[in-house]
Amino acid sequence: MDFTPTEEQAAVQELAARIFGDLSTHERLAAAGTGTDAELWKALCGAGLVAAVEEVGLLGLVLALEEQGRTTAQVPFAASCVYGVLALTTHGTAEQRGRLLPALRDGTAVVTGAFPARAGRVRATGDGELSGVVPLVPWLRDATHVLVPDTDHALWLVRVADAGAEPLETTAPWSAGRLALDRAPAERVGGAAAYGDVLATARTAFAGLQAGVCAGSLARAVHHTTTREQFGRPLSTNQGVLLRAADAYMDTEAIRVTAYEAAWRRDEGLRYGTHALTAAWWASEAGTRVVHAGQHLHGGLGADVEHPVHRHFLWGRQLDAYLGCGSELLAELGELIVAERTSIGGTAGAAGAAGAAGAEAAGRRSAGAEGGEVAGRAEQVAGAEGVAMTGKEGVGA
């Protein structure tokens, strides 16, 4: 594994940090209320950050999303890149890419995702029409298109203008809405493996966003405890404060490194379903601990809903809910690990049988040893690649 950013990825991260740092200030966020900052979104697209995702891959996107999370910038950056740019680049047809990607690059079109796929929620007919209701879709109020999985995990792209969208407020200001589909026309995106790939990509990307949210919360807590004094000395000199901050730092690093690993594996063409689940679990469980710690280390100020650190707390809790309950994520991860071991056992058994057949033709002892060696190599390769990308219940399980 090598998480060292390429020159292009480092440039994207640096540019994202500069734009988010300059425009996503506390004052601008307060003025935006619960809506999207249209000027910031225009600046991001104008700088080519959305278009750059096609070149820098998922790891480059994760690096940029970290910078968004640090400032809790209110733009549909993650959703449009995951459910739009990366999904169409990987699974769209040449016609779909040519028709939709230019508008996604310049920000005139925004795609969000009606994930997770729930049984009985959205049904598709043979005429390419969708019916059903998705109770909450993030950034739906900003979107021109929605990527919708049906009950069979087939992916469909729907124009928001052809569906019903009702505004909803969430914990974090994500311009969310309720999606109602009544024989809405839709176009198919990708094949049978598309849903699992988009799901794992979303889990990884939003884990990267959570890493930034946690890093921003911790940075504010460090600044507060080192500048505020109690009994004639900084709060940061108290052992309890130091230990709490150290635990939050380790949790943040765990979220970051697991997101990096999953993103790197996808960009390298390796299987990464279990790695995306691991990143999502850390982002959900550890992310909650970090934003709580950031708020608590501010003392009474952390309870002020107008204080900047409270925004990190809200974002952290919203991402926790979106990624899913930790116990459910672990249950799904366990099922994938069992499936992986079963698959490896089947591969080894088949190789052993081939070795036995060869032994009858060229000597049982030598061919049997060769068959065992082949089985061992097959197990090593399968173990190195992991398990197939999959997802049972969407971004959050």
Side-chain angles (χ1 to χ4, degrees), residues 224-284:
H224 174 77
T225 56
T226 54
T227 57
R228 189 175 182 88
E229 293 188 355
Q230 188 178 57
F231 305 118
R233 62 177 186 174
L235 290 172
S236 59
T237 60
N238 294 316
Q239 187 178 41
V241 172
L242 290 172
L243 292 174
R244 190 76 185 276
D247 286 342
Y249 173 79
M250 294 303 296
D251 275 337
T252 301
E253 288 301 297
I255 300 170
R256 176 181 288 118
V257 73
T258 51
Y260 283 5
E261 181 180 11
W264 174 82
R265 290 183 65 87
R266 182 189 190 276
D267 291 343
E268 291 296 312
L270 303 174
R271 295 176 180 177
Y272 69 110
T274 53
H275 301 80
L277 267 170
T278 302
W281 181 85
W282 274 104
S284 177

Side-chain angles (χ1 to χ4, degrees), residues 139-382:
W139 289 288
L140 181 62
R141 304 203 301 263
D142 298 330
T144 57
H145 298 77
V146 188
L147 191 65
V148 183
D150 63 21
T151 55
D152 296 323
H153 290 179
L155 290 184
W156 302 86
L157 193 65
V158 180
R159 293 197 318 139
V160 175
D162 296 327
E166 177 185 342
L168 288 176
E169 296 297 334
T170 59
T171 300
W174 282 8
S175 297
R178 175 180 178 272
L179 181 68
L181 303 166
D182 184 12
R183 299 185 64 84
E187 58 179 307
R188 183 70 185 270
V189 176
Y195 175 78
D197 177 55
V198 175
L199 171 68
T201 301
R203 282 171 165 161
T204 305
F206 283 98
L209 183 61
Q210 182 76 302
V213 170
C214 292
S217 175
L218 184 57
R220 291 188 181 279
V222 169
H223 175 75
H224 174 77
T225 56
T226 54
T227 57
R228 189 175 182 88
E229 293 188 355
Q230 188 178 57
F231 305 118
R233 62 177 186 174
L235 290 172
S236 59
T237 60
N238 294 316
Q239 187 178 41
V241 172
L242 290 172
L243 292 174
R244 190 76 185 276
D247 286 342
Y249 173 79
M250 294 303 296
D251 275 337
T252 301
E253 288 301 297
I255 300 170
R256 176 181 288 118
V257 73
T258 51
Y260 283 5
E261 181 180 11
W264 174 82
R265 290 183 65 87
R266 182 189 190 276
D267 291 343
E268 291 296 312
L270 303 174
R271 295 176 180 177
Y272 69 110
T274 53
H275 301 80
L277 267 170
T278 302
W281 181 85
W282 274 104
S284 177
E285 291 287 296
T288 302
R289 291 196 297 266
V290 173
V291 296
H292 273 270
Q295 189 179 42
H296 291 168
L297 289 174
H298 278 77
L301 289 176
D304 183 359
V305 296
E306 296 183 357
H307 194 281
V309 76
H310 191 74
R311 187 175 292 108
H312 290 270
F313 174 78
L314 296 179
W315 273 70
R317 293 309 305 266
Q318 185 67 46
L319 283 164
D320 166 38
Y322 189 59
L323 288 166
C325 171
S327 60
E328 292 181 337
L329 292 172
L330 283 182
E332 185 178 345
L333 180 60
E335 291 176 2
L336 290 185
I337 292 174
V338 170
E340 174 187 7
R341 297 307 179 194
T342 302
S343 175
I344 290 174
T347 303
E360 293 182 358
R364 292 183 179 275
R365 184 170 301 175
S366 60
E370 182 181 357
E373 183 180 355
V374 171
R377 289 177 180 173
E379 183 171 355
Q380 290 175 1
V381 171

